[in-house]
Amino acid sequence: MDVRAQLVMVFNLDKCLGCHTCSIACKNIWTDRKGAEYMWWNNVETKPGAGYPKFWEDQKRYKGGWVLKGNKLKLRAFSKLSTLLNIFYQPHMPRLEDYYHPWTYDYAKLYESPEESDQPVAEPISLISGEKIDIEFGPNWDDDLGGSPLYAEEDVNLDERRIVTNFGSIFMFYLPRICNHCLNPACVAACPQRAIYKRGEDGIVLVDQNTCRGWRFCVTACPYKKVYYNWNTGKSEKCIFCYPRTETAQANACAHSCVGRIRYVGVVLYDADRIEDALKVKDEELVEAQRKIILDPRDEMVRRAAKENGIPDSWLEAALKSPAYALIKEYELALPLHPEFRTMPMTFYIPPLSPVLAVHRAIHDVEEHEEVPDKDLLRVPVRYLSKLFSGGNERVVTEALERLVALRKYMRARNVGENPDEDSLRKAGLDAESAERLYRLLTIASYNERYAIPTLHREYLDVASSEERKGGKGFGISIGPRGGL
């Protein structure tokens, strides 16, 4: 058993406001410079929709992630031969138009223009070429357009396009995204320069800017399209999970600024020896397989193996208080985004609990339903959610929604002075004590309850100085995990 620790983020989609405060906080801190204008390490998408970059989920187009061929995992886009042939050209990489052409405005014209009969206009100017352009797309161009025929109908997760054009069945929710800091990152495997690595101490995936040569294999290989190319420096860049903050026990900038308090950050222990086997199961079994490799921090055998692997006591204590572990493993509410890409993403999502459809004389309020509503009555189709979060397995999504509905019914009865229906809780796998804890975690949890982030102990790492640390790699070929910036 090879026990390792990973910092994990969980998103509660039931509470996301779509305000983009997280995106702006990230943008102002990390990508406010030349060459990074189009980069949004954190972005919030409207689902159903095209996403950012456009149609990033369509791997027939972009060929990201891994595929299972026989009993072996292989990169979808590359083999040894294709890596050599495409060393100077990436045919499946998103174009700038799939993101958007970054622009500013010619504000100087507003006060330098001579006196005329017409009002001067600040025209859009390209931040890349400096020429005048026509604005055709932006990072949130389809914001709140869940029924847009231009983008929503092209969502690859939709089985039936007409569901977003029929007013009676149209639906919408927000999907915030960052780099998933996967356990089996395709970007790391695809880089011929070995410039991308996964830190052994906290699982964060980083790009060594001194080693990167801008081949952009990582951009193609990442199925979530969360690696970006800086046209000014000629290097690849990506979300760094705010490691300068997390190393000092502070929450990530996106999580700290979140208005809806939808984000949770905590330590998860996992067995690295079982990752490969967990990725070789069927798409529908990937969620269960990923849950199984996540270990119980209360287990003495796990704690002993973790200490032997160099994980500090403070990290083990943080794992005991981790909200991420509770939501992913204990309550089985949080699910990975597109596990069928087989990168084993380490950001998780609690699916949104939607009202039931007001058709066929169905009631409007979930709380008034005597039983858990049938999945076919929910406004957000379970089938759609399963395409996003469980590789098509509707059962695990339905179980998560049943727990949310049972919790809502129980707490509503408590708040209005009625007798709570504990039978519904038991059917959903909860009891009164766990319901109280889960209710607090999802609603009124304090800062320290939502973010159980331990400080990084450099003294535990097998490095002598900061200069040596800069050359470290997360998963080495001939050496074990060690630190590195």
Side-chain angles (χ1 to χ4, degrees):
M1 184 167 57
D2 184 5
V3 180
R4 301 188 187 183
Q6 168 99 25
L7 278 178
V8 173
M9 186 177 291
V10 175
F11 303 79
N12 185 0
L13 299 186
D14 218 21
K15 298 170 64 178
C16 183
L17 308 173
C19 63
H20 303 281
T21 307
C22 51
S23 301
I24 298 302
C26 178
K27 188 70 176 173
N28 286 337
I29 294 175
W30 299 118
T31 57
D32 185 19
R33 51 199 155 75
K34 188 176 181 180
E37 300 91 349
Y38 79 103
M39 297 183 194
W40 293 86
W41 292 357
N42 181 108
N43 71 294
V44 181
E45 301 172 3
T46 296
K47 285 295 179 183
Y52 178 80
K54 282 187 285 190
F55 314 120
W56 61 269
E57 295 162 289
D58 186 358
Q59 301 313 324
K60 292 181 180 179
R61 175 177 180 177
Y62 290 126
K63 299 187 182 301
W66 302 82
V67 291
L68 190 60
K69 294 185 177 179
N71 196 38
K72 290 186 177 181
L73 283 170
K74 295 186 178 181
L75 289 171
R76 188 186 301 270
F78 305 112
S79 62
K80 291 183 179 179
L81 178 60
S82 63
T83 299
L84 181 62
L85 295 176
N86 294 326
I87 195 75
F88 297 111
Y89 173 64
Q90 294 296 319
H92 306 298
M93 190 174 65
R95 302 167 301 169
L96 184 60
E97 292 76 16
D98 294 318
Y99 297 97
Y100 71 104
H101 200 117
W103 75 88
T104 185
Y105 292 95
D106 186 9
Y107 295 109
K109 188 176 180 180
L110 295 177
Y111 57 86
E112 292 178 354
S113 178
E115 184 176 352
E116 297 177 345
S117 58
D118 297 326
Q119 177 73 23
V121 176
E123 298 177 289
I125 302 295
S126 168
L127 283 171
I128 296 177
S129 65
E131 300 175 351
K132 296 179 181 179
I133 61 171
D134 293 325
I135 301 173
E136 298 179 349
F137 193 72
N140 301 112
W141 202 258
D142 58 341
D143 215 9
D144 296 336
L145 297 179
S148 164
L150 185 59
Y151 300 115
E153 287 187 45
E154 299 301 321
D155 191 321
V156 298
N157 303 296
L158 287 174
D159 288 329
E160 298 182 22
R161 300 294 187 264
R162 62 181 177 82
I163 197 172
V164 296
T165 58
N166 181 5
F167 183 76
S169 61
I170 195 171
F171 67 95
M172 187 197 81
F173 63 92
Y174 300 109
L175 181 73
R177 294 202 302 123
I178 63 171
C179 169
N180 293 288
H181 299 278
C182 310
L183 295 187
N184 184 40
C187 57
V188 174
C191 179
Q193 200 70 24
R194 296 180 184 174
I196 307 185
Y197 60 97
K198 186 175 179 67
R199 298 209 308 187
E201 55 266 40
D202 52 16
I204 297 175
V205 177
L206 299 173
V207 181
D208 186 337
Q209 295 292 294
N210 294 323
T211 305
C212 179
R213 294 295 178 267
W215 299 116
R216 287 177 272 186
F217 283 85
C218 52
V219 180
T220 298
C222 175
Y224 305 96
K225 294 298 172 274
K226 278 299 177 180
V227 185
Y228 302 87
Y229 176 73
N230 188 311
W231 56 267
N232 182 52
T233 63
K235 310 284 187 178
S236 290
E237 299 181 12
K238 60 179 291 299
C239 161
I240 61 174
F241 208 74
C242 287
Y243 74 82
R245 294 178 59 88
T246 60
E247 285 183 357
T248 55
Q250 300 179 76
N252 316 60
C254 59
H256 187 90
S257 64
C258 179
V259 176
R261 297 185 178 184
I262 76 163
R263 302 185 186 220
Y264 305 83
V265 182
V267 176
V268 166
L269 304 178
Y270 66 93
D271 186 358
D273 284 340
R274 296 161 63 185
I275 292 176
E276 185 176 0
D277 291 337
L279 290 169
K280 290 181 178 180
V281 300
K282 298 177 181 178
D283 287 356
E284 296 81 6
E285 301 171 0
L286 285 167
V287 172
E288 294 290 350
Q290 187 167 351
R291 284 173 178 167
K292 287 179 181 178
I293 73 166
I294 296 175
L295 304 173
D296 185 351
R298 297 180 293 264
D299 189 315
E300 285 301 323
M301 185 181 299
V302 171
R303 295 176 68 85
R304 186 163 54 250
K307 289 182 179 180
E308 291 174 357
N309 221 13
I311 297 177
D313 288 337
S314 62
W315 277 65
L316 295 179
E317 293 306 309
L320 290 173
K321 299 180 289 186
S322 173
Y325 175 80
L327 294 170
I328 297 166
K329 183 81 171 186
E330 287 186 50
Y331 299 117
E332 296 185 345
L333 282 180
L335 305 170
L337 180 63
H338 285 297
E340 71 275 11
F341 295 161
R342 298 181 187 274
T343 60
M344 198 162 283
M346 294 304 281
T347 58
F348 294 79
Y349 296 81
I350 299 174
L353 183 59
S354 60
V356 297
L357 289 169
V359 294
H360 305 300
R361 298 183 179 178
I363 60 172
H364 292 266
D365 295 321
V366 171
E367 296 91 340
E368 296 179 7
H369 211 288
E370 293 183 1
E371 298 294 335
V372 175
D374 188 273
K375 63 182 181 181
D376 295 328
L377 292 178
L378 292 174
R379 179 165 285 277
V380 181
V382 172
R383 180 62 180 165
Y384 181 85
L385 293 175
S386 72
K387 290 286 194 71
L388 271 176
F389 302 123
S390 62
N393 187 336
E394 296 184 31
R395 178 184 57 81
V396 294
V397 176
T398 301
E399 288 174 353
L401 294 176
E402 285 175 346
R403 290 187 182 92
L404 291 174
V405 171
L407 177 64
R408 180 176 291 193
K409 290 175 61 179
Y410 177 82
M411 294 309 301
R412 179 181 182 274
R414 283 277 309 274
N415 290 335
V416 300
E418 298 177 357
N419 292 324
D421 183 8
E422 296 192 12
D423 288 338
S424 296
L425 280 183
R426 283 191 289 271
K427 289 179 182 178
L430 299 172
D431 55 31
E433 182 180 354
S434 61
E436 292 282 354
R437 181 189 175 201
L438 185 56
Y439 164 75
R440 178 175 180 83
L441 190 58
L442 295 180
T443 55
I444 57 175
S446 66
Y447 180 94
N448 291 330
E449 289 174 297
R450 288 182 286 119
Y451 310 124
I453 306 173
T455 56
L456 193 63
H457 291 270
R458 290 295 181 190
E459 67 271 19
Y460 284 90
L461 304 179
D462 186 22
V463 290
S465 68
S466 61
E467 289 303 314
E468 290 184 27
R469 195 163 68 236
K470 289 180 180 178
K473 299 292 183 289
F475 290 149
I477 294 177
S478 58
I479 59 174
R482 51 180 292 217
L485 294 176

